[in-house]
Amino acid sequence: QENLDLKEGFAKELIVENNDNIRLDSYIANENSDLSRAVIQKLLEDGNILVNDVIKKSSYKVKKGDVIKIDGFDGLLVNSII
């Protein structure tokens, strides 16, 4: 698992291989233990998490083969930890 660099923002791509048919926010939290639900929620609200290059709501149920792109931290993690 990759470590997050809190100072330089973050971009990551996940491909759903298992745990499909669960909520997008839950899937991301399960795959990225370094991210809190609050941070994931903020990223989703700001359109910084894409599924197959489309903005989805946190309630979206992931499917096998979905490509999830996470981007746009820009200090969000640092601010949420302090």
Side-chain angles (χ1 to χ4, degrees), residues 8 10 21 23-24 29 33-34 36-38 40 48 50 58 63 75-77 82:
E8 295 197 17
F10 180 67
N21 204 32
R23 288 173 53 106
L24 178 58
S33 59
D34 296 329
S36 71
R37 291 279 173 120
I40 293 167
N48 291 320
L50 304 178
S58 58
K63 300 176 189 67
L76 179 61
L77 286 175
I82 296 173

Side-chain angles (χ1 to χ4, degrees), residues 1-76:
Q1 188 174 358
E2 298 173 9
N3 291 325
L4 299 180
D5 184 347
L6 299 180
K7 295 179 183 164
E8 295 197 17
F10 180 67
K12 184 171 188 172
E13 187 173 285
L14 300 170
I15 298 175
V16 179
E17 296 176 357
N18 52 25
N19 293 330
D20 62 347
N21 204 32
I22 65 171
R23 288 173 53 106
L24 178 58
D25 54 355
S26 296
Y27 181 82
I28 294 170
N30 291 343
E31 296 294 315
N32 295 277
S33 59
D34 296 329
L35 296 181
S36 71
R37 291 279 173 120
V39 169
I40 293 167
Q41 210 52 47
K42 177 72 173 146
L43 291 168
L44 283 163
E45 288 170 10
D46 291 347
N48 291 320
I49 297 178
L50 304 178
V51 180
N52 303 323
D53 295 319
V54 177
I55 295 172
K56 297 287 187 183
K57 294 183 177 183
S58 58
S59 58
Y60 171 80
K61 300 284 177 102
V62 299
K63 300 176 189 67
K64 189 171 183 176
D66 278 350
V67 178
I68 301 168
K69 294 179 184 174
I70 306 171
D71 203 356
F73 283 36
D74 297 331
L76 179 61

